[in-house]
Amino acid sequence: MHQFDAIAGGWDAVCSESGSHGVLRLTAFRRVERLPGATAPPAHVVTYRCHDGCGGEHRLLMSSEELDWLPIATGFAPHFDLMTGRMAHDPDAGLDLWWRAMRRGRWPVTLACEHHPTPVPAWPSCLRALEPDAEPDGRWFLVHFTCPLCERPGSQVMRPQALELLPRAA
Ligand SMILES: [Zn+2]
Ligand SMILES: [Zn+2]
């Protein structure tokens, strides 16, 4: 299980070349392949650019739960609990922030499928490939995806900010 760091907005990742630990953000994703076969829930192979380590590409096996659910469900940093006067960890804080953000139309990923008039709420597992204009810091990405509503392939240009897995409630 790859832990999700809600403050950094990415999963824990270890570079297999250098052994250094880093944060795997969505902007480092390069390809997402759903494993063939009738696994339920489905598993995915994520190929990502190792920005924090060797700079090469690595492959990571991730379940749908890790990929789609963990970024939303992971609680935020400990906060000060007024009742007990201690630092407390609220496991529901992250979830609550995401629900508020999603009600405002800010989903983990929002896609523009040409077959629908409005933006399509989506998840990291809907992405198929990310092509940045430059490495390591892309200013924009050509994103290929599978639409979760009509299951047709699509492509769009996205800014890195649109690929941040951080809820914005305000
Ligand atoms: Zn590496
Ligand atoms: Zn669609």
Side-chain angles (χ1 to χ4, degrees):
M1 195 66 151
H2 305 281
Q3 296 298 315
F4 190 84
D5 183 336
I7 301 299
W11 296 263
D12 290 341
V14 182
C15 172
S16 54
E17 291 289 320
S18 68
S20 63
H21 289 252
V23 177
L24 169 57
R25 294 184 178 85
L26 211 49
T27 49
F29 280 34
R30 292 297 172 263
R31 286 183 299 286
V32 180
E33 298 155 79
R34 188 178 159 159
L35 283 183
T39 56
H44 308 265
V45 176
V46 172
T47 304
Y48 70 94
R49 176 71 64 169
C50 182
H51 290 311
D52 296 319
C54 65
E57 286 191 348
H58 299 306
R59 286 154 68 87
L60 203 62
L61 183 65
M62 296 179 84
S63 66
S64 286
E65 188 191 353
E66 285 175 286
L67 204 51
D68 292 340
W69 178 240
L70 217 52
I72 290 174
T74 303
F76 275 62
H79 69 283
F80 190 71
D81 190 329
L82 288 172
M83 299 299 287
T84 62
R86 281 198 296 258
M87 295 304 283
H89 191 81
D90 182 358
D92 296 328
L95 199 57
D96 187 54
L97 273 177
W98 266 113
W99 286 134
R100 275 188 277 158
M102 289 193 284
R103 275 207 297 272
R104 288 177 163 85
R106 163 77 188 162
W107 279 61
V109 183
T110 306
L111 299 171
C113 176
E114 60 178 341
H115 302 286
H116 314 288
T118 53
V120 176
W123 306 90
S125 65
C126 300
L127 304 178
R128 289 295 163 266
L130 277 72
E131 299 169 9
D133 65 325
E135 294 281 13
D137 298 309
R139 284 166 300 150
W140 51 263
F141 295 77
L142 179 58
V143 176
H144 306 278
F145 60 84
T146 300
C147 174
L149 295 183
C150 66
E151 297 190 353
R152 280 183 278 212
S155 300
Q156 74 184 101
V157 172
M158 292 174 88
R159 298 220 157 251
Q161 294 89 321
L163 294 161
E164 281 175 3
L165 291 174
L166 296 168
R168 289 199 206 95

mmCIF file of all heavy atoms in Angstrom, residues 113 115-116 147 149-150, ligand 2:
data_model
loop_
_atom_site.group_PDB
_atom_site.id
_atom_site.type_symbol
_atom_site.label_atom_id
_atom_site.label_comp_id
_atom_site.label_asym_id
_atom_site.label_seq_id
_atom_site.Cartn_x
_atom_site.Cartn_y
_atom_site.Cartn_z
ATOM 1 N N CYS A 113 -14.682 16.070 -21.923
ATOM 2 C CA CYS A 113 -14.998 15.104 -22.981
ATOM 3 C C CYS A 113 -15.883 15.805 -24.000
ATOM 4 O O CYS A 113 -16.866 16.447 -23.632
ATOM 5 C CB CYS A 113 -15.708 13.880 -22.398
ATOM 6 S SG CYS A 113 -16.237 12.688 -23.655
ATOM 7 N N HIS A 115 -18.043 14.781 -25.869
ATOM 8 C CA HIS A 115 -19.378 14.232 -26.019
ATOM 9 C C HIS A 115 -20.352 14.704 -24.946
ATOM 10 O O HIS A 115 -21.501 14.277 -24.916
ATOM 11 C CB HIS A 115 -19.322 12.699 -26.026
ATOM 12 C CG HIS A 115 -18.447 12.158 -27.112
ATOM 13 N ND1 HIS A 115 -18.816 12.147 -28.441
ATOM 14 C CD2 HIS A 115 -17.179 11.657 -27.086
ATOM 15 C CE1 HIS A 115 -17.845 11.646 -29.173
ATOM 16 N NE2 HIS A 115 -16.832 11.339 -28.374
ATOM 17 N N HIS A 116 -19.877 15.575 -24.041
ATOM 18 C CA HIS A 116 -20.754 16.106 -22.996
ATOM 19 C C HIS A 116 -20.623 17.623 -22.944
ATOM 20 O O HIS A 116 -19.535 18.152 -23.140
ATOM 21 C CB HIS A 116 -20.395 15.509 -21.632
ATOM 22 C CG HIS A 116 -20.194 14.021 -21.685
ATOM 23 N ND1 HIS A 116 -21.220 13.135 -21.842
ATOM 24 C CD2 HIS A 116 -19.056 13.288 -21.644
ATOM 25 C CE1 HIS A 116 -20.725 11.907 -21.890
ATOM 26 N NE2 HIS A 116 -19.421 11.967 -21.773
ATOM 27 N N CYS A 147 -13.063 8.621 -20.860
ATOM 28 C CA CYS A 147 -14.166 9.312 -20.191
ATOM 29 C C CYS A 147 -14.942 8.318 -19.313
ATOM 30 O O CYS A 147 -15.360 7.266 -19.789
ATOM 31 C CB CYS A 147 -15.094 9.937 -21.233
ATOM 32 S SG CYS A 147 -16.585 10.652 -20.514
ATOM 33 N N LEU A 149 -17.890 8.580 -18.205
ATOM 34 C CA LEU A 149 -19.325 8.553 -18.522
ATOM 35 C C LEU A 149 -19.616 7.738 -19.774
ATOM 36 O O LEU A 149 -20.494 6.882 -19.785
ATOM 37 C CB LEU A 149 -19.861 9.979 -18.695
ATOM 38 C CG LEU A 149 -19.839 10.885 -17.468
ATOM 39 C CD1 LEU A 149 -20.469 12.225 -17.797
ATOM 40 C CD2 LEU A 149 -20.572 10.227 -16.307
ATOM 41 N N CYS A 150 -18.869 8.003 -20.862
ATOM 42 C CA CYS A 150 -19.170 7.330 -22.136
ATOM 43 C C CYS A 150 -18.081 6.330 -22.524
ATOM 44 O O CYS A 150 -18.230 5.621 -23.514
ATOM 45 C CB CYS A 150 -19.372 8.359 -23.245
ATOM 46 S SG CYS A 150 -17.886 9.306 -23.663
HETATM 47 ZN ZN ZN B 2 -17.576 11.173 -22.506
#
